């Protein structure tokens, strides 16, 4: 058994998580703060035939991009109803992907790689850290967004370490867009900022445009253009304005959810 655990440490951790979290994933009720609202939005989308522009109790809901709601809609189409266990997998599976990517990154970074017991320990440390463990079982976009961000940074590291490949030149902006398409502006800000700060710290500022050049921003802009066109067709000019400005600039500069002093 020890040899098996050492040979497949990440699989062992994922199976442990699956077994220990399955009862909660299958039996817990929807939280009234966010989860019930998401379920209501999906039901209204089916009723109204919305694809890009969603409503909550008849009011425009441009707070979140559509990708997560699409996955919830797919789950309802498959199961015929909102299934808590299936919906929780939208957080659980990304968590497992993050653990697997970080394990692979660790092995590629260090010569020879750590042993199975150390890999298992680091995977468990990540899996059981407070917020990571909590977000693994709640119906929110956060874990899915983090998965796209981790994949984007992992792709950048491979490009920087082993050289750029055509597929990686596409995947870096694609993963960045999917982080945006899942949660919002934070998703598109983190990968470019992390890459920029890393290269500046390495005193390689000229390489910033090597990875974040015209191809990166061009592919990102193309995906955004398709998304915004769909929003305009589905929800009109007012909804698009709400998505692009009210939920981004207004929320950052003059937050309408939680007024606090500037130092917060």
């Amino acid at each position: 058994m020890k040899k098996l655990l050492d040979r497949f440490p990440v699989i062992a951790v994922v199976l442990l998580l699956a077994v220990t979290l399955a009862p909660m994933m299958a039996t817990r009720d929807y939280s009234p703060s966010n989860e019930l609202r998401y379920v209501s939005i999906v039901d209204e989308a089916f009723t109204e035939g919305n694809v890009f522009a969603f409503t909550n109790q008849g009011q425009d809901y441009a707070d979140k991009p559509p990708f997560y709601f699409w996955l919830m809609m797919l789950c309802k189409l498959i199961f015929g109803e909102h299934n808590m266990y299936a919906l929780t997998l939208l957080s659980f599976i990304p968590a497992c992907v993050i653990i697997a990517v970080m394990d692979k990154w660790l092995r590629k970074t260090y010569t020879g790689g750590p042993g199975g017991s150390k890999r298992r320990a680091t995977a468990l440390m990540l899996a059981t850290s407070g917020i990571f463990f909590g977000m693994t079982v709640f119906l929110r976009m956060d874990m899915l967004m983090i998965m796209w961000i981790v994949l984007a940074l992992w792709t950048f590291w491979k490009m920087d370490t082993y050289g750029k490949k055509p597929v990686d030149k596409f995947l870096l902006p694609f993963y960045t867009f999917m982080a945006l398409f899942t949660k919002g502006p934070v998703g598109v800000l983190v990968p470019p900022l992390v890459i920029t700060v890393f290269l500046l710290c390495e005193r390689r500022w000229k390489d910033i445009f090597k990875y974040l050049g015209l191809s990166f921003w061009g592919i990102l802009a193309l995906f955004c253009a398709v998304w915004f066109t769909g929003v305009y067709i589905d929800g009109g000019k007012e909804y698009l304005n709400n998505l692009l400005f009210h939920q981004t600039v207004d929320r950052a500069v003059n937050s309408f959810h939680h007024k606090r002093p500037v130092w917060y």
Side-chain angles (χ1 to χ4, degrees):
M1 178 62 71
K2 186 179 184 302
K3 290 182 179 179
L4 194 64
L5 291 175
D6 287 342
R7 186 177 180 184
F8 304 104
V10 173
I11 295 177
V13 171
V14 168
L15 289 176
L16 178 64
L17 281 178
V19 170
T20 54
L21 294 178
M24 179 186 295
M25 292 166 62
T27 61
R28 61 178 291 265
D29 200 1
Y30 297 94
S31 65
S33 57
N34 288 302
E35 296 174 347
L36 280 180
R37 181 167 69 248
Y38 297 159
V39 168
S40 174
I41 290 168
V42 168
D43 287 339
E44 288 186 38
F46 277 116
T47 302
E48 302 295 332
N50 297 329
V51 178
F52 287 95
F54 296 97
T55 60
N56 181 30
Q57 299 182 359
Q59 301 296 316
D60 287 346
Y61 186 84
D63 187 50
K64 299 293 189 297
F67 183 66
Y68 188 82
F69 297 123
W70 289 355
L71 296 179
M72 292 184 68
M73 294 167 74
L74 180 62
C75 286
K76 186 173 183 180
L77 288 173
I78 293 173
F79 293 96
E81 61 182 3
H82 292 294
N83 183 290
M84 172 56 83
Y85 184 82
L87 292 174
T88 308
L89 291 178
L90 301 181
S91 295
F92 180 81
I93 292 175
C96 295
V97 172
I98 293 169
I99 293 170
V101 171
M102 295 308 298
D103 174 75
K104 189 172 184 179
W105 201 339
L106 183 68
R107 286 187 289 123
K108 292 288 185 179
T109 302
Y110 294 98
T111 304
S117 59
K118 290 184 178 179
R119 289 172 57 197
R120 191 166 63 251
T122 54
L124 274 172
M125 287 174 65
L126 173 59
T128 57
S129 59
I131 187 135
F132 192 95
F133 192 72
M135 297 312 300
T136 302
V137 294
F138 283 97
L139 311 186
R140 288 182 64 90
M141 299 87 173
D142 300 71
M143 191 63 79
L144 187 58
M145 177 193 68
I146 294 169
M147 182 192 76
W148 296 120
I149 291 174
V150 169
L151 286 171
L153 296 178
W154 160 244
T155 301
F156 160 73
W157 183 84
K158 289 191 297 181
M159 295 168 67
D160 193 52
T161 304
Y162 302 114
K164 293 195 294 184
K165 296 180 180 179
V167 65
D168 290 332
K169 291 177 66 176
F170 170 79
L171 287 176
L172 180 58
F174 172 74
Y175 289 145
T176 303
F177 170 77
M178 289 306 300
L180 167 68
F181 201 46
T182 300
K183 178 74 174 178
V186 172
V188 78
L189 285 174
V190 172
L193 282 177
V194 170
I195 292 170
T196 300
V197 171
F198 170 77
L199 292 174
L200 288 175
C201 290
E202 292 281 306
R203 297 181 180 180
R204 297 163 50 198
W205 62 270
K206 291 183 179 179
D207 286 345
I208 294 174
F209 302 102
K210 177 180 175 182
Y211 300 104
L212 304 176
L214 289 177
S215 61
F216 176 88
W217 297 109
I219 294 173
L220 196 61
L222 179 62
F223 281 122
C224 288
V226 174
W227 173 23
F228 298 152
T229 300
V231 170
Y232 182 79
I233 294 172
D234 204 17
K237 182 178 179 181
E238 184 176 346
Y239 190 98
L240 183 61
N241 180 72
N242 189 355
L243 175 70
L244 294 179
F245 298 102
H246 188 52
Q247 297 295 336
T248 54
V249 178
D250 291 347
R251 193 168 186 174
V253 177
N254 188 24
S255 177
F256 41 86
H257 280 308
H258 33 75
K259 289 271 187 186
R260 285 179 175 177
V262 66
W263 52 82
Y264 278 87

